[in-house]
Amino acid sequence: MNQYAISTPEGSRDRLFGATRLFRQNERRIRNLLEARGYEEIITPSLEYYDVFVQAGSSIGQEKMYKLTDRNGRLLVLRPDNTTPIARVVTTKLDDEALPLRLYYVQKVHRASSFHRGHSTEVMQAGAELLGAKGMMADLDILTAAFEALAAVKGETFRIELGHAAIYKALISSLDVDAETEETIRSHIENKSYAALGDVLEPFKDREAYQALKAMPTLFGGGEVLEEVARLTDNSEVLRAVEYLRDLIDAITTAGFGENVMIDLGLVQEIDYYTGMMFRGYMGGAGAPVLVGGRYDSLCGKFGRDIPATGFAIDIDALSDSVVLKQEQTAEELVFCGAGYLKLALDYIHVSGKLAELAPCDTLEQAMEIAKRKGYRTLVTFDKNGIQKTEVQA
């Protein structure tokens, strides 16, 4: 048999039974939390024109996009990102809506990769976007929504790592290096490649930014991290960002989330996309982030309307893999009836107050066999003698 007829494409998978229940439970809890915070759902097409992401200057390389053409030969992509299409909608179709806008989504993104290493190419994301608001309170709005979304899912150990795009941008711009060198430095900081970073920075050791850039992979922890970077540089843009982070953390701590926040000034992933604070979220002992977010004030302007924005996206697949939730209760009663008693049986299922299911069989013996095999506690029977309940013996 052809192996491709019985397997899933690389990077995708089937999610079965218990795993699906946990997945949907996570999705519902995040959805309920965001709606309670005033966010309204938006759905964008799975297929977008490739030009949408070119216009946005997407940091997702075209080689990571699944591409196809429409009947007129125009290039399409399977949606590789949720925020860019939302920016397209807001700037082209929501001109009359009063700002700020609170939008959320629960939909898939698709990203191809030549080196999967266990990475998914199809990911269900839940995310929130706050558009048309800037400043400390707007950032706190989206940050606390992210905190509460993770808390709603597990309510145990999670952490948010917080950084600021202006710190790296100000330091690297002072070196006046070419794009290739800048990307090399950024990559070494992101990957915490201390030795390689030191080597590439060696020609700039007489520059004021040298010590701070070299230290960035190690600037991880509590408030002392902000003190350290302020000691290493007197760059005014860096110091403003440090002061902003300090005020942000003070407010977060006052709101009761202080134990869940750490500083990571080596957070430089997709640095061109973000314009202010950036953050990543982790659950339990997971090594990979389940949440990414930050401020991206320049994106909507690329579609013709300058709107400040901030948001986050949760990888529900990664989240579901990293936590073990209490299973929602499964049905405990199996209800058997003949065709003439169907209404009575359905009325019982609807009003009994217990989780009950209709037996999909024609004889009492078949119903009892199903009840034993599937682990129901009670077999409820409707017939000419009324209703009978029988405890199921395993």
Side-chain angles (χ1 to χ4, degrees):
M1 180 180 291
N2 183 342
Q3 69 177 85
Y4 298 114
I6 58 173
S7 59
T8 62
E10 190 173 6
S12 65
R13 60 175 167 170
D14 299 311
R15 191 180 290 274
L16 306 177
F17 309 130
T20 298
R21 285 196 297 273
L22 293 180
F23 179 90
R24 293 301 184 195
Q25 184 176 340
N26 289 342
E27 179 186 329
R28 284 194 300 273
R29 291 184 177 188
I30 295 169
R31 186 188 295 273
N32 291 342
L33 181 278
L34 292 176
E35 290 184 353
R37 291 285 299 251
Y39 288 81
E40 295 189 82
E41 187 173 13
I42 185 171
I43 299 173
T44 63
S46 297
L47 287 174
E48 292 273 358
Y49 284 116
Y50 174 68
D51 292 350
V52 170
F53 298 93
V54 173
Q55 183 71 26
S58 176
S59 59
I60 302 169
Q62 61 87 19
E63 73 280 0
K64 294 184 179 180
M65 300 183 189
Y66 287 102
K67 296 177 283 292
L68 62 159
T69 57
D70 66 11
R71 62 183 181 181
N72 295 311
R74 288 185 288 260
L75 190 60
L76 306 173
V77 294
L78 280 174
R79 182 180 53 226
D81 163 62
N82 279 307
T83 302
T84 298
I86 288 175
R88 172 187 57 74
V89 172
V90 169
T91 55
T92 60
K93 298 183 179 180
L94 297 179
D95 286 353
D96 296 332
E97 295 290 327
L99 298 177
L101 290 171
R102 297 175 185 271
L103 306 177
Y104 87 89
Y105 56 84
V106 181
Q107 54 189 25
K108 291 180 179 179
V109 295
H110 303 264
R111 297 185 186 181
S113 176
S114 299
F115 306 96
H116 293 301
R117 298 176 184 175
H119 293 186
S120 296
T121 57
E122 179 185 60
V123 175
M124 178 69 82
Q125 289 184 343
E129 313 290 351
L130 177 57
L131 302 110
K134 60 182 178 179
M136 179 71 66
M137 288 309 301
D139 285 349
L140 286 169
D141 188 301
I142 205 72
L143 266 174
T144 54
F147 289 138
E148 291 177 356
L150 294 184
V153 166
K154 195 180 183 187
E156 293 181 18
T157 57
F158 70 88
R159 75 177 190 275
I160 296 287
E161 295 177 358
L162 187 62
H164 199 294
I167 294 176
Y168 172 77
K169 288 181 177 180
L171 291 171
I172 198 67
S173 65
S174 71
L175 292 188
D176 194 26
V177 296
D178 58 52
E180 183 179 354
T181 303
E182 179 179 342
E183 173 56 24
T184 300
I185 293 172
R186 188 208 62 79
S187 178
H188 289 330
I189 293 173
E190 179 185 347
N191 296 320
K192 301 192 183 302
S193 303
Y194 307 109
L197 178 62
D199 291 341
V200 75
L201 286 174
E202 186 65 21
F204 309 99
K205 63 185 308 179
D206 61 336
R207 303 288 186 89
E208 191 272 337
Y210 169 77
Q211 290 291 348
L213 282 169
K214 187 177 179 181
M216 284 191 77
T218 68
L219 295 177
F220 176 86
E224 73 281 356
V225 169
L226 299 178
E227 302 301 326
E228 177 66 10
V229 72
R231 185 185 66 81
L232 292 173
T233 180
D234 59 3
N235 185 294
S236 60
E237 292 183 62
V238 172
L239 296 180
R240 280 196 297 271
V242 165
E243 190 62 30
Y244 187 83
L245 286 177
R246 188 179 287 117
D247 292 343
L248 201 63
I249 291 172
D250 286 345
I252 291 168
T253 301
T254 301
F257 294 106
E259 294 183 356
N260 301 103
V261 182
M262 301 188 77
I263 300 295
D264 185 2
L265 298 187
L267 183 58
V268 292
Q269 186 178 20
E270 296 184 348
I271 197 72
D272 290 337
Y273 178 79
Y274 293 112
T275 59
M277 70 157 188
M278 306 179 294
F279 54 94
R280 291 190 296 206
Y282 297 81
M283 294 295 288
V290 299
L291 177 151
V292 294
R295 177 159 291 281
Y296 55 97
D297 286 343
S298 61
L299 179 60
C300 289
K302 294 179 179 179
F303 293 98
R305 187 183 178 194
D306 284 319
I307 303 174
T310 184
F312 65 83
I314 298 175
D315 182 337
I316 302 181
D317 293 282
L319 183 71
S320 300
D321 291 340
S322 66
V323 300
V324 178
L325 301 179
K326 180 180 179 181
Q327 294 275 358
E328 293 182 339
Q329 188 177 8
T330 56
E332 56 188 68
E333 293 186 341
L334 185 65
V335 180
F336 171 76
C337 69
Y341 300 92
L342 180 60
K343 186 177 187 309
L344 290 174
L346 291 176
D347 287 345
Y348 175 83
I349 290 172
H350 294 154
V351 303
S352 69
K354 295 183 179 181
L355 294 174
E357 295 176 358
L358 191 67
C361 50
D362 295 325
T363 69
L364 183 59
E365 291 75 15
Q366 290 173 332
M368 180 58 75
E369 178 60 28
I370 290 174
K372 291 179 178 179
R373 190 166 62 244
K374 302 285 285 186
Y376 295 95
R377 295 178 183 176
T378 307
L379 178 64
V380 181
T381 305
F382 285 88
D383 58 23
K384 64 182 179 180
N385 298 315
I387 178 174
Q388 293 88 37
K389 295 188 176 184
T390 305
E391 183 177 347
V392 177
Q393 301 294 329

